[in-house]
Amino acid sequence: MSTPHEIRFPFETPPSEGEAVEVAPGILWARLPLPMALDHVNVYALDDGDGWTLIDTGTNNRHCQKALDALRAGPLAGKPIARVLMTHHHPDHVGQLGRLAADGAEVLATRTAWLMARMLTLDIQENLTPEAENFYLRAGMDPAILDERRTSRPFNFADIVAAIPLGFTRIDEGDRLHIGGRDWTVRLGNGHAAHHATLWSDDGVVIAGDQILPGISPNLGVYPTEPEADPVGEWLEACTRLRAAAKGPELVLPGHKLPFTGVIPRLTQLIENHHTALDRLRAHLAEPRTAHECFQPLYKRQISGGEYGLALVEAMGHLNHLFKAGEISRKLRPDGAWAWQIR
């Protein structure tokens, strides 16, 4: 028996592709494959009697489509997906939402999540934009990587996200929803994604998306669309607020990794881990550094390959946080990169 002060994993083995595990009465847990280092996303199907509400959808590529179709034909067979709730706008969570909406599913989302997803799928770029190039220069991106980005087509949401439907049902902080035979309260996260929806049931189940993950921290990145953002500050505020709302023994259903209990100690770990990383960054900034030069104190390991882009935008997130707090200054170098230093 776990206590509110322990993190435990009641399900040791994730479901295989096309299969599902009942994690609580009326709630099925399934996994869809992703074409990236984090190779899966968790989706949850809540039994509404004559249909299902699906939480998140995976990406809109062939492998993930086949896995979702196998889930619909297998564990969900006989009843339609009547509603889809997107926890947040990232492509691994909304990729197939448009497919399901075309089959008649109602879409539930926060206004910001829907707007971001729809805007990004419509905003198709064939070349690196001037704003993105300037952002990468300011971050001190490795010149070889920047040269490669200048000459190749950038990633577009529409590459792996089906068209987002025009209409949706808005959910917001404090809303009460009846889904899967349970009553839920909507509580909004932030930082990893703006107005990230989490659902807290009256009987102790939390649908957490990427706001509360076990074992890993969600990426807290700054992007060319909002280069002065402070996702670290927003995320710390949200985690502190959610921790205060938690009772302790909740079963947390995250967007990745395994379901777990112990939401209070996990949120405490996540908050403390980022404060520790900020302490290491402060010490590192005794000398002027670019965001590219801050990987070691933040991540304590070498960063390469597909991790580089996410590492760079998260480094910018931590630097922006200290800058907005007045703890560090920045100066533009002749090469166009910001050099950050402790005051």
Side-chain angles (χ1 to χ4, degrees):
M1 179 74 68
S2 64
T3 75
H5 307 292
E6 298 174 321
I7 299 171
R8 296 288 180 87
F9 297 91
F11 304 93
E12 297 180 356
T13 304
S16 300
E17 190 172 310
E19 297 181 354
V21 171
E22 188 174 59
V23 291
I27 302 179
L28 299 182
W29 165 38
R31 279 191 165 180
L32 300 178
L34 297 179
M36 53 192 73
L38 187 58
D39 63 2
H40 71 275
V41 63
N42 294 328
V43 299
Y44 301 95
L46 281 64
D47 190 349
D48 287 319
D50 57 354
W52 298 93
T53 294
L54 189 68
I55 310 295
D56 293 336
T57 68
T59 52
N60 192 42
N61 63 301
R62 184 171 299 176
H63 189 184
C64 199
Q65 289 172 356
K66 289 178 63 177
L68 180 56
D69 289 344
L71 181 66
R72 296 171 78 181
L76 307 189
K79 292 193 295 189
I81 295 175
R83 293 188 289 185
V84 182
L85 188 149
M86 68 159 97
T87 59
H88 60 296
H89 74 272
H90 291 166
D92 51 326
H93 296 262
V94 304
Q96 297 187 74
L97 183 146
R99 287 185 71 211
L100 297 172
D103 289 341
E106 177 189 8
V107 174
L108 281 69
T110 67
R111 176 183 285 168
T112 302
W114 178 85
L115 285 170
M116 289 292 294
R118 185 163 169 84
M119 178 272 290
L120 287 167
T121 52
L122 295 173
D123 182 30
I124 298 174
Q125 304 292 337
E126 297 299 331
N127 301 289
L128 188 70
T129 64
E131 295 88 352
E133 181 174 2
N134 185 64
F135 175 79
Y136 295 138
L137 281 170
R138 295 287 189 265
M141 176 176 273
D142 182 302
I145 296 175
L146 182 53
D147 284 344
E148 192 275 333
R149 294 198 178 197
R150 286 184 175 120
T151 57
S152 32
R153 183 180 181 273
F155 166 77
N156 289 279
F157 261 52
D159 296 340
I160 56 172
V161 176
I164 300 297
L166 180 62
F168 75 108
T169 298
R170 180 184 173 191
I171 60 175
D172 207 344
E173 175 71 30
D175 283 355
R176 297 281 289 171
L177 306 176
H178 187 77
I179 303 174
R182 288 175 169 80
D183 292 316
W184 306 79
T185 299
V186 178
R187 296 192 172 110
L188 298 189
N190 258 321
H192 174 66
H195 289 182
H196 182 309
T198 67
L199 304 183
W200 300 64
S201 79
D202 292 351
D203 66 344
V205 180
V206 177
I207 295 173
D210 286 1
Q211 187 69 34
I212 313 170
L213 297 175
I216 58 173
S217 174
N219 185 263
L220 306 179
V222 173
Y223 293 90
T225 48
E226 196 178 350
E228 301 295 328
D230 179 15
V232 172
E234 293 171 352
W235 189 77
L236 290 170
E237 181 280 326
C239 286
T240 302
R241 175 168 40 80
L242 293 174
R243 182 176 61 180
K247 293 180 173 63
E250 290 94 340
L251 172 65
V252 181
L253 306 181
H256 305 277
K257 304 292 186 177
L258 299 174
F260 67 96
T261 59
V263 64
I264 292 174
R266 182 55 187 153
L267 283 166
T268 299
Q269 283 182 352
L270 288 165
I271 292 165
E272 291 177 349
N273 287 346
H274 278 279
H275 280 303
T276 301
L278 288 167
D279 286 341
R280 295 194 301 268
L281 185 59
R282 290 181 182 98
H284 187 66
L285 295 176
E287 301 293 332
R289 314 278 188 181
T290 67
H292 166 86
E293 295 166 340
C294 291
F295 288 177
Q296 188 59 38
L298 286 173
Y299 313 119
K300 298 188 290 187
R301 59 186 176 87
Q302 288 293 113
I303 299 294
S304 60
E307 295 180 312
Y308 182 88
L310 290 175
L312 189 68
V313 296
E314 180 149 352
M316 285 293 290
H318 285 77
L319 290 164
N320 276 3
H321 181 67
L322 293 180
F323 181 70
K324 286 183 177 295
E327 296 188 47
I328 62 175
S329 61
R330 66 185 184 187
K331 184 177 181 180
L332 204 59
R333 301 191 321 192
D335 63 358
W338 287 120
W340 309 79
Q341 188 171 16
I342 200 78
R343 288 188 183 275

